[in-house]
Amino acid sequence: MKVFKFGGASVKDAAGVRNVANVLRHFPNDDLLIVVSAMGKTTNALEEVVWGFCDGVPVAEKMEALRKSHLTVLAEAAPNDVAAAAELVLHFDRLNTFLKGKPSESVDRDYDQIVSQGEIWSTLIVSTHLKHAGLSNAWVDARTIVRTDDTYRSARVDWDLSERRAGGLLNEVPGSPKRIVTQGFIGFNAEGDTTTLGREGSDFSAAIFAYLLDAESVTIWKDVPGMFNADPKRFPDTKLLSHISYKEAIELSYFGASVIHPRTLQPLQRKNIPLYVRSFVDLAAPGSTIDDRSENDSLIPSFIIKPGQVLLSITPRDLSFIVEENLSGIFGVFAQHGVCINLMQNSAVAFTVCVDNDNRIKPLVLDLRREYEVRWNEELELVTVRHYDEVTLEKLLKGREVLIEQRSRTTARFVVK
Ligand code: ASP
Ligand code: MG
């Protein structure tokens, strides 16, 4: 059995939904579990609904726009399917009723109940279209399988309970080949409430299902023909990484390559399930393979640029040395503010970190300044080069001011202006 994942961009309209059927026709004999994200920018729109709901601002207009656009896609992808339209309307009605109530004491809990609906709508539409296209399938609610804790908005999977849930799943689906259409991004907790796995979490869901069902492979269908050694939108002659190891892919996504969600690889690696990244536009293109073979990892230098960085230089007020006690206190403050350190360096009297410059930084700095002098330097980029060579580095850094440079055998990192 294979797991396929289609992201929001691949199902953003009726043409996208029809293309899912087109991809599936190339796999006429395979049992498939198909994970689908919310359509296009639906998740962002639903986040707006959440903020409005919590602030007591009317959201009816936003909801009506979402209802219309989904019903339009359904009508195009499955003409005259009155039953499917009624079911979709029912889901909208339920959410609208929820939105007429009062926010609970937990914004994150409400967020998950609301935002998760995008995936419910999209999978109903895709499942219905596939039936119309002669591709029989069963719609499965991921909230009956993916059991999580109740950390709303970034729920942790309970693998044992989920595995038990997934046990009979394939046998319950009639027909041959068996096809299941289900949601990415969402799960449920002990109370039966909906949880979500964090933004862009559908890749991770595909890996979860693959793990639970011992799938032979996972394919992420994208609008790009695979994983590249750099962002093709930013660099002219990028190269396809046709075969890399789990470890290399984990490193790349950790450093900021955005092709696959960083948490996706671990469950696949644990069961040695290969991951393919392929183009849903160009089915003949070979794409990228990620598995346990590492012999190609170092063939091509990969580079990842993270913009919007700020360097914080933290010094004890009396210019005393930075020692372990200071560091443990400083890390504590970062953890408290949920600020992730992208790179760090220390000297005798200063501890310097590079972090994403977002709204968490000002309160963090205020806290640090109770004990330390903090200097900052913003509008920087963090450049990471895996398997670097001097030619690549020279090209990347030409005309840039390098503030910090760190090199290991495989990775060179630079904070540049
Ligand atoms: N729909 C969710 C999001 O946009 C999950 C995903 O697309 O992976 O974050
Ligand atoms: Mg998405």
Side-chain angles (χ1 to χ4, degrees), residues 64-97:
E64 189 48 26
L66 283 166
R67 199 178 88 108
K68 274 216 180 103
S69 63
H70 281 79
L71 282 169
T72 305
V73 174
L74 178 67
E76 282 177 43
N80 307 320
D81 193 327
V82 183
E87 197 181 347
L88 189 55
V89 166
L90 190 70
H91 284 279
F92 274 94
D93 289 348
R94 276 201 207 126
L95 179 54
N96 281 325
T97 306

PDB file of all heavy atoms in Angstrom, residues 64-97:
ATOM      1  N   GLU A  64     -19.099  32.949   4.561  1.00  0.00           N
ATOM      2  CA  GLU A  64     -19.914  32.829   3.356  1.00  0.00           C
ATOM      3  C   GLU A  64     -19.013  32.717   2.120  1.00  0.00           C
ATOM      4  O   GLU A  64     -19.285  31.938   1.201  1.00  0.00           O
ATOM      5  CB  GLU A  64     -20.877  34.025   3.250  1.00  0.00           C
ATOM      6  CG  GLU A  64     -21.922  33.925   2.161  1.00  0.00           C
ATOM      7  CD  GLU A  64     -22.683  32.580   2.113  1.00  0.00           C
ATOM      8  OE1 GLU A  64     -22.790  31.890   3.147  1.00  0.00           O
ATOM      9  OE2 GLU A  64     -23.147  32.222   1.005  1.00  0.00           O
ATOM     10  N   ALA A  65     -17.913  33.477   2.133  1.00  0.00           N
ATOM     11  CA  ALA A  65     -16.971  33.394   1.008  1.00  0.00           C
ATOM     12  C   ALA A  65     -16.379  31.987   0.907  1.00  0.00           C
ATOM     13  O   ALA A  65     -16.268  31.413  -0.195  1.00  0.00           O
ATOM     14  CB  ALA A  65     -15.866  34.436   1.178  1.00  0.00           C
ATOM     15  N   LEU A  66     -16.040  31.413   2.042  1.00  0.00           N
ATOM     16  CA  LEU A  66     -15.471  30.054   2.034  1.00  0.00           C
ATOM     17  C   LEU A  66     -16.510  29.036   1.571  1.00  0.00           C
ATOM     18  O   LEU A  66     -16.214  28.126   0.798  1.00  0.00           O
ATOM     19  CB  LEU A  66     -14.988  29.689   3.450  1.00  0.00           C
ATOM     20  CG  LEU A  66     -13.657  30.319   3.871  1.00  0.00           C
ATOM     21  CD1 LEU A  66     -13.436  30.190   5.372  1.00  0.00           C
ATOM     22  CD2 LEU A  66     -12.497  29.663   3.114  1.00  0.00           C
ATOM     23  N   ARG A  67     -17.749  29.210   2.037  1.00  0.00           N
ATOM     24  CA  ARG A  67     -18.829  28.294   1.665  1.00  0.00           C
ATOM     25  C   ARG A  67     -19.044  28.332   0.150  1.00  0.00           C
ATOM     26  O   ARG A  67     -19.091  27.299  -0.518  1.00  0.00           O
ATOM     27  CB  ARG A  67     -20.104  28.698   2.409  1.00  0.00           C
ATOM     28  CG  ARG A  67     -21.164  27.607   2.494  1.00  0.00           C
ATOM     29  CD  ARG A  67     -22.353  28.126   3.299  1.00  0.00           C
ATOM     30  NE  ARG A  67     -23.270  28.798   2.419  1.00  0.00           N
ATOM     31  CZ  ARG A  67     -24.460  28.295   2.073  1.00  0.00           C
ATOM     32  NH1 ARG A  67     -24.854  27.146   2.588  1.00  0.00           N
ATOM     33  NH2 ARG A  67     -25.247  28.953   1.262  1.00  0.00           N
ATOM     34  N   LYS A  68     -19.123  29.557  -0.360  1.00  0.00           N
ATOM     35  CA  LYS A  68     -19.356  29.719  -1.805  1.00  0.00           C
ATOM     36  C   LYS A  68     -18.236  29.080  -2.612  1.00  0.00           C
ATOM     37  O   LYS A  68     -18.483  28.344  -3.563  1.00  0.00           O
ATOM     38  CB  LYS A  68     -19.430  31.217  -2.147  1.00  0.00           C
ATOM     39  CG  LYS A  68     -20.804  31.804  -1.973  1.00  0.00           C
ATOM     40  CD  LYS A  68     -21.056  32.874  -3.065  1.00  0.00           C
ATOM     41  CE  LYS A  68     -22.441  33.477  -2.887  1.00  0.00           C
ATOM     42  NZ  LYS A  68     -22.383  34.810  -2.258  1.00  0.00           N
ATOM     43  N   SER A  69     -16.996  29.390  -2.236  1.00  0.00           N
ATOM     44  CA  SER A  69     -15.891  28.897  -3.067  1.00  0.00           C
ATOM     45  C   SER A  69     -15.823  27.370  -3.033  1.00  0.00           C
ATOM     46  O   SER A  69     -15.588  26.721  -4.052  1.00  0.00           O
ATOM     47  CB  SER A  69     -14.561  29.531  -2.667  1.00  0.00           C
ATOM     48  OG  SER A  69     -14.232  29.182  -1.348  1.00  0.00           O
ATOM     49  N   HIS A  70     -16.084  26.782  -1.877  1.00  0.00           N
ATOM     50  CA  HIS A  70     -16.047  25.316  -1.811  1.00  0.00           C
ATOM     51  C   HIS A  70     -17.202  24.685  -2.581  1.00  0.00           C
ATOM     52  O   HIS A  70     -17.020  23.688  -3.283  1.00  0.00           O
ATOM     53  CB  HIS A  70     -16.036  24.847  -0.346  1.00  0.00           C
ATOM     54  CG  HIS A  70     -14.681  24.959   0.293  1.00  0.00           C
ATOM     55  ND1 HIS A  70     -14.183  26.152   0.768  1.00  0.00           N
ATOM     56  CD2 HIS A  70     -13.700  24.037   0.504  1.00  0.00           C
ATOM     57  CE1 HIS A  70     -12.961  25.955   1.257  1.00  0.00           C
ATOM     58  NE2 HIS A  70     -12.648  24.678   1.112  1.00  0.00           N
ATOM     59  N   LEU A  71     -18.387  25.274  -2.451  1.00  0.00           N
ATOM     60  CA  LEU A  71     -19.538  24.727  -3.194  1.00  0.00           C
ATOM     61  C   LEU A  71     -19.331  24.874  -4.701  1.00  0.00           C
ATOM     62  O   LEU A  71     -19.739  24.002  -5.482  1.00  0.00           O
ATOM     63  CB  LEU A  71     -20.833  25.416  -2.752  1.00  0.00           C
ATOM     64  CG  LEU A  71     -21.392  24.907  -1.418  1.00  0.00           C
ATOM     65  CD1 LEU A  71     -22.518  25.801  -0.909  1.00  0.00           C
ATOM     66  CD2 LEU A  71     -21.882  23.453  -1.539  1.00  0.00           C
ATOM     67  N   THR A  72     -18.679  25.965  -5.095  1.00  0.00           N
ATOM     68  CA  THR A  72     -18.405  26.153  -6.532  1.00  0.00           C
ATOM     69  C   THR A  72     -17.457  25.070  -7.047  1.00  0.00           C
ATOM     70  O   THR A  72     -17.689  24.470  -8.101  1.00  0.00           O
ATOM     71  CB  THR A  72     -17.782  27.549  -6.781  1.00  0.00           C
ATOM     72  OG1 THR A  72     -18.650  28.529  -6.229  1.00  0.00           O
ATOM     73  CG2 THR A  72     -17.570  27.808  -8.258  1.00  0.00           C
ATOM     74  N   VAL A  73     -16.399  24.813  -6.291  1.00  0.00           N
ATOM     75  CA  VAL A  73     -15.453  23.777  -6.729  1.00  0.00           C
ATOM     76  C   VAL A  73     -16.154  22.415  -6.765  1.00  0.00           C
ATOM     77  O   VAL A  73     -15.995  21.649  -7.720  1.00  0.00           O
ATOM     78  CB  VAL A  73     -14.203  23.728  -5.813  1.00  0.00           C
ATOM     79  CG1 VAL A  73     -13.315  22.550  -6.187  1.00  0.00           C
ATOM     80  CG2 VAL A  73     -13.430  25.031  -5.896  1.00  0.00           C
ATOM     81  N   LEU A  74     -16.953  22.142  -5.749  1.00  0.00           N
ATOM     82  CA  LEU A  74     -17.668  20.860  -5.737  1.00  0.00           C
ATOM     83  C   LEU A  74     -18.586  20.759  -6.963  1.00  0.00           C
ATOM     84  O   LEU A  74     -18.628  19.717  -7.632  1.00  0.00           O
ATOM     85  CB  LEU A  74     -18.493  20.699  -4.454  1.00  0.00           C
ATOM     86  CG  LEU A  74     -19.315  19.409  -4.391  1.00  0.00           C
ATOM     87  CD1 LEU A  74     -18.418  18.176  -4.310  1.00  0.00           C
ATOM     88  CD2 LEU A  74     -20.291  19.413  -3.214  1.00  0.00           C
ATOM     89  N   ALA A  75     -19.302  21.831  -7.270  1.00  0.00           N
ATOM     90  CA  ALA A  75     -20.237  21.793  -8.402  1.00  0.00           C
ATOM     91  C   ALA A  75     -19.497  21.561  -9.716  1.00  0.00           C
ATOM     92  O   ALA A  75     -20.003  20.889 -10.613  1.00  0.00           O
ATOM     93  CB  ALA A  75     -21.030  23.097  -8.463  1.00  0.00           C
ATOM     94  N   GLU A  76     -18.286  22.106  -9.816  1.00  0.00           N
ATOM     95  CA  GLU A  76     -17.503  21.885 -11.042  1.00  0.00           C
ATOM     96  C   GLU A  76     -16.897  20.493 -11.087  1.00  0.00           C
ATOM     97  O   GLU A  76     -16.812  19.866 -12.139  1.00  0.00           O
ATOM     98  CB  GLU A  76     -16.363  22.905 -11.130  1.00  0.00           C
ATOM     99  CG  GLU A  76     -16.800  24.293 -11.597  1.00  0.00           C
ATOM    100  CD  GLU A  76     -15.627  25.265 -11.599  1.00  0.00           C
ATOM    101  OE1 GLU A  76     -14.530  24.876 -12.043  1.00  0.00           O
ATOM    102  OE2 GLU A  76     -15.817  26.396 -11.121  1.00  0.00           O
ATOM    103  N   ALA A  77     -16.470  20.013  -9.919  1.00  0.00           N
ATOM    104  CA  ALA A  77     -15.757  18.732  -9.886  1.00  0.00           C
ATOM    105  C   ALA A  77     -16.712  17.545  -9.818  1.00  0.00           C
ATOM    106  O   ALA A  77     -16.343  16.424 -10.170  1.00  0.00           O
ATOM    107  CB  ALA A  77     -14.803  18.697  -8.691  1.00  0.00           C
ATOM    108  N   ALA A  78     -17.943  17.794  -9.354  1.00  0.00           N
ATOM    109  CA  ALA A  78     -18.924  16.715  -9.239  1.00  0.00           C
ATOM    110  C   ALA A  78     -20.301  17.297  -9.553  1.00  0.00           C
ATOM    111  O   ALA A  78     -21.109  17.492  -8.648  1.00  0.00           O
ATOM    112  CB  ALA A  78     -18.886  16.115  -7.836  1.00  0.00           C
ATOM    113  N   PRO A  79     -20.566  17.592 -10.851  1.00  0.00           N
ATOM    114  CA  PRO A  79     -21.808  18.290 -11.202  1.00  0.00           C
ATOM    115  C   PRO A  79     -23.044  17.520 -10.745  1.00  0.00           C
ATOM    116  O   PRO A  79     -23.074  16.294 -10.815  1.00  0.00           O
ATOM    117  CB  PRO A  79     -21.752  18.353 -12.741  1.00  0.00           C
ATOM    118  CG  PRO A  79     -20.322  18.110 -13.105  1.00  0.00           C
ATOM    119  CD  PRO A  79     -19.736  17.277 -12.013  1.00  0.00           C
ATOM    120  N   ASN A  80     -24.016  18.269 -10.285  1.00  0.00           N
ATOM    121  CA  ASN A  80     -25.328  17.711  -9.918  1.00  0.00           C
ATOM    122  C   ASN A  80     -25.310  16.661  -8.825  1.00  0.00           C
ATOM    123  O   ASN A  80     -26.222  15.842  -8.740  1.00  0.00           O
ATOM    124  CB  ASN A  80     -26.026  17.097 -11.157  1.00  0.00           C
ATOM    125  CG  ASN A  80     -26.095  18.091 -12.301  1.00  0.00           C
ATOM    126  OD1 ASN A  80     -26.358  19.283 -12.069  1.00  0.00           O
ATOM    127  ND2 ASN A  80     -25.796  17.631 -13.503  1.00  0.00           N
ATOM    128  N   ASP A  81     -24.261  16.655  -8.029  1.00  0.00           N
ATOM    129  CA  ASP A  81     -24.256  15.697  -6.925  1.00  0.00           C
ATOM    130  C   ASP A  81     -24.926  16.357  -5.719  1.00  0.00           C
ATOM    131  O   ASP A  81     -24.271  16.974  -4.872  1.00  0.00           O
ATOM    132  CB  ASP A  81     -22.832  15.247  -6.597  1.00  0.00           C
ATOM    133  CG  ASP A  81     -22.816  14.027  -5.677  1.00  0.00           C
ATOM    134  OD1 ASP A  81     -23.736  13.915  -4.840  1.00  0.00           O
ATOM    135  OD2 ASP A  81     -21.900  13.203  -5.803  1.00  0.00           O
ATOM    136  N   VAL A  82     -26.246  16.211  -5.658  1.00  0.00           N
ATOM    137  CA  VAL A  82     -27.035  16.893  -4.634  1.00  0.00           C
ATOM    138  C   VAL A  82     -26.669  16.395  -3.232  1.00  0.00           C
ATOM    139  O   VAL A  82     -26.541  17.180  -2.284  1.00  0.00           O
ATOM    140  CB  VAL A  82     -28.544  16.665  -4.900  1.00  0.00           C
ATOM    141  CG1 VAL A  82     -29.386  17.431  -3.892  1.00  0.00           C
ATOM    142  CG2 VAL A  82     -28.881  17.081  -6.322  1.00  0.00           C
ATOM    143  N   ALA A  83     -26.442  15.079  -3.133  1.00  0.00           N
ATOM    144  CA  ALA A  83     -26.146  14.508  -1.813  1.00  0.00           C
ATOM    145  C   ALA A  83     -24.819  15.060  -1.287  1.00  0.00           C
ATOM    146  O   ALA A  83     -24.706  15.439  -0.107  1.00  0.00           O
ATOM    147  CB  ALA A  83     -26.087  12.984  -1.908  1.00  0.00           C
ATOM    148  N   ALA A  84     -23.814  15.116  -2.155  1.00  0.00           N
ATOM    149  CA  ALA A  84     -22.498  15.615  -1.709  1.00  0.00           C
ATOM    150  C   ALA A  84     -22.594  17.086  -1.327  1.00  0.00           C
ATOM    151  O   ALA A  84     -22.025  17.513  -0.319  1.00  0.00           O
ATOM    152  CB  ALA A  84     -21.457  15.410  -2.815  1.00  0.00           C
ATOM    153  N   ALA A  85     -23.340  17.869  -2.130  1.00  0.00           N
ATOM    154  CA  ALA A  85     -23.486  19.291  -1.814  1.00  0.00           C
ATOM    155  C   ALA A  85     -24.175  19.454  -0.456  1.00  0.00           C
ATOM    156  O   ALA A  85     -23.772  20.281   0.362  1.00  0.00           O
ATOM    157  CB  ALA A  85     -24.272  20.005  -2.913  1.00  0.00           C
ATOM    158  N   ALA A  86     -25.200  18.619  -0.204  1.00  0.00           N
ATOM    159  CA  ALA A  86     -25.919  18.714   1.070  1.00  0.00           C
ATOM    160  C   ALA A  86     -24.981  18.384   2.232  1.00  0.00           C
ATOM    161  O   ALA A  86     -25.026  19.012   3.290  1.00  0.00           O
ATOM    162  CB  ALA A  86     -27.113  17.765   1.065  1.00  0.00           C
ATOM    163  N   GLU A  87     -24.112  17.402   2.020  1.00  0.00           N
ATOM    164  CA  GLU A  87     -23.189  17.028   3.088  1.00  0.00           C
ATOM    165  C   GLU A  87     -22.202  18.159   3.370  1.00  0.00           C
ATOM    166  O   GLU A  87     -21.912  18.483   4.529  1.00  0.00           O
ATOM    167  CB  GLU A  87     -22.443  15.750   2.710  1.00  0.00           C
ATOM    168  CG  GLU A  87     -21.818  15.144   3.941  1.00  0.00           C
ATOM    169  CD  GLU A  87     -21.022  13.878   3.668  1.00  0.00           C
ATOM    170  OE1 GLU A  87     -21.130  13.308   2.556  1.00  0.00           O
ATOM    171  OE2 GLU A  87     -20.274  13.481   4.579  1.00  0.00           O
ATOM    172  N   LEU A  88     -21.704  18.756   2.302  1.00  0.00           N
ATOM    173  CA  LEU A  88     -20.765  19.872   2.478  1.00  0.00           C
ATOM    174  C   LEU A  88     -21.448  21.029   3.213  1.00  0.00           C
ATOM    175  O   LEU A  88     -20.889  21.597   4.155  1.00  0.00           O
ATOM    176  CB  LEU A  88     -20.256  20.315   1.089  1.00  0.00           C
ATOM    177  CG  LEU A  88     -19.117  21.331   1.053  1.00  0.00           C
ATOM    178  CD1 LEU A  88     -17.919  20.842   1.855  1.00  0.00           C
ATOM    179  CD2 LEU A  88     -18.686  21.579  -0.406  1.00  0.00           C
ATOM    180  N   VAL A  89     -22.683  21.317   2.809  1.00  0.00           N
ATOM    181  CA  VAL A  89     -23.438  22.391   3.463  1.00  0.00           C
ATOM    182  C   VAL A  89     -23.629  22.092   4.956  1.00  0.00           C
ATOM    183  O   VAL A  89     -23.498  22.976   5.799  1.00  0.00           O
ATOM    184  CB  VAL A  89     -24.808  22.592   2.763  1.00  0.00           C
ATOM    185  CG1 VAL A  89     -25.745  23.449   3.616  1.00  0.00           C
ATOM    186  CG2 VAL A  89     -24.603  23.223   1.387  1.00  0.00           C
ATOM    187  N   LEU A  90     -23.868  20.812   5.247  1.00  0.00           N
ATOM    188  CA  LEU A  90     -24.056  20.412   6.649  1.00  0.00           C
ATOM    189  C   LEU A  90     -22.823  20.759   7.488  1.00  0.00           C
ATOM    190  O   LEU A  90     -22.918  21.268   8.606  1.00  0.00           O
ATOM    191  CB  LEU A  90     -24.328  18.905   6.688  1.00  0.00           C
ATOM    192  CG  LEU A  90     -24.775  18.324   8.019  1.00  0.00           C
ATOM    193  CD1 LEU A  90     -26.185  18.800   8.339  1.00  0.00           C
ATOM    194  CD2 LEU A  90     -24.742  16.792   7.953  1.00  0.00           C
ATOM    195  N   HIS A  91     -21.631  20.486   6.928  1.00  0.00           N
ATOM    196  CA  HIS A  91     -20.399  20.806   7.651  1.00  0.00           C
ATOM    197  C   HIS A  91     -20.265  22.310   7.868  1.00  0.00           C
ATOM    198  O   HIS A  91     -19.814  22.748   8.921  1.00  0.00           O
ATOM    199  CB  HIS A  91     -19.181  20.242   6.920  1.00  0.00           C
ATOM    200  CG  HIS A  91     -19.038  18.754   7.107  1.00  0.00           C
ATOM    201  ND1 HIS A  91     -18.470  18.204   8.233  1.00  0.00           N
ATOM    202  CD2 HIS A  91     -19.425  17.714   6.332  1.00  0.00           C
ATOM    203  CE1 HIS A  91     -18.499  16.886   8.139  1.00  0.00           C
ATOM    204  NE2 HIS A  91     -19.073  16.557   6.988  1.00  0.00           N
ATOM    205  N   PHE A  92     -20.637  23.088   6.843  1.00  0.00           N
ATOM    206  CA  PHE A  92     -20.593  24.547   7.007  1.00  0.00           C
ATOM    207  C   PHE A  92     -21.590  24.998   8.064  1.00  0.00           C
ATOM    208  O   PHE A  92     -21.286  25.842   8.903  1.00  0.00           O
ATOM    209  CB  PHE A  92     -20.846  25.250   5.669  1.00  0.00           C
ATOM    210  CG  PHE A  92     -19.586  25.408   4.860  1.00  0.00           C
ATOM    211  CD1 PHE A  92     -19.227  24.471   3.911  1.00  0.00           C
ATOM    212  CD2 PHE A  92     -18.747  26.489   5.070  1.00  0.00           C
ATOM    213  CE1 PHE A  92     -18.055  24.604   3.188  1.00  0.00           C
ATOM    214  CE2 PHE A  92     -17.569  26.636   4.354  1.00  0.00           C
ATOM    215  CZ  PHE A  92     -17.231  25.690   3.409  1.00  0.00           C
ATOM    216  N   ASP A  93     -22.799  24.405   8.033  1.00  0.00           N
ATOM    217  CA  ASP A  93     -23.818  24.774   9.030  1.00  0.00           C
ATOM    218  C   ASP A  93     -23.320  24.516  10.443  1.00  0.00           C
ATOM    219  O   ASP A  93     -23.499  25.333  11.337  1.00  0.00           O
ATOM    220  CB  ASP A  93     -25.117  23.983   8.793  1.00  0.00           C
ATOM    221  CG  ASP A  93     -25.836  24.459   7.533  1.00  0.00           C
ATOM    222  OD1 ASP A  93     -25.436  25.527   7.009  1.00  0.00           O
ATOM    223  OD2 ASP A  93     -26.761  23.761   7.072  1.00  0.00           O
ATOM    224  N   ARG A  94     -22.672  23.352  10.615  1.00  0.00           N
ATOM    225  CA  ARG A  94     -22.177  22.993  11.954  1.00  0.00           C
ATOM    226  C   ARG A  94     -21.154  24.003  12.425  1.00  0.00           C
ATOM    227  O   ARG A  94     -21.182  24.443  13.573  1.00  0.00           O
ATOM    228  CB  ARG A  94     -21.533  21.602  11.915  1.00  0.00           C
ATOM    229  CG  ARG A  94     -22.549  20.525  12.045  1.00  0.00           C
ATOM    230  CD  ARG A  94     -21.886  19.223  12.516  1.00  0.00           C
ATOM    231  NE  ARG A  94     -22.694  18.123  12.023  1.00  0.00           N
ATOM    232  CZ  ARG A  94     -22.241  17.104  11.306  1.00  0.00           C
ATOM    233  NH1 ARG A  94     -20.972  16.994  11.010  1.00  0.00           N
ATOM    234  NH2 ARG A  94     -23.067  16.170  10.887  1.00  0.00           N
ATOM    235  N   LEU A  95     -20.243  24.387  11.538  1.00  0.00           N
ATOM    236  CA  LEU A  95     -19.227  25.359  11.948  1.00  0.00           C
ATOM    237  C   LEU A  95     -19.879  26.709  12.241  1.00  0.00           C
ATOM    238  O   LEU A  95     -19.539  27.368  13.224  1.00  0.00           O
ATOM    239  CB  LEU A  95     -18.135  25.486  10.875  1.00  0.00           C
ATOM    240  CG  LEU A  95     -17.032  26.502  11.191  1.00  0.00           C
ATOM    241  CD1 LEU A  95     -16.383  26.230  12.553  1.00  0.00           C
ATOM    242  CD2 LEU A  95     -15.950  26.499  10.111  1.00  0.00           C
ATOM    243  N   ASN A  96     -20.841  27.091  11.402  1.00  0.00           N
ATOM    244  CA  ASN A  96     -21.516  28.371  11.644  1.00  0.00           C
ATOM    245  C   ASN A  96     -22.240  28.373  12.988  1.00  0.00           C
ATOM    246  O   ASN A  96     -22.252  29.391  13.679  1.00  0.00           O
ATOM    247  CB  ASN A  96     -22.476  28.689  10.493  1.00  0.00           C
ATOM    248  CG  ASN A  96     -21.716  29.236   9.290  1.00  0.00           C
ATOM    249  OD1 ASN A  96     -20.727  29.959   9.446  1.00  0.00           O
ATOM    250  ND2 ASN A  96     -22.163  28.886   8.082  1.00  0.00           N
ATOM    251  N   THR A  97     -22.809  27.237  13.353  1.00  0.00           N
ATOM    252  CA  THR A  97     -23.454  27.145  14.663  1.00  0.00           C
ATOM    253  C   THR A  97     -22.417  27.308  15.773  1.00  0.00           C
ATOM    254  O   THR A  97     -22.622  28.047  16.739  1.00  0.00           O
ATOM    255  CB  THR A  97     -24.174  25.772  14.812  1.00  0.00           C
ATOM    256  OG1 THR A  97     -25.057  25.627  13.703  1.00  0.00           O
ATOM    257  CG2 THR A  97     -24.935  25.675  16.119  1.00  0.00           C
TER     258      THR A  97
END
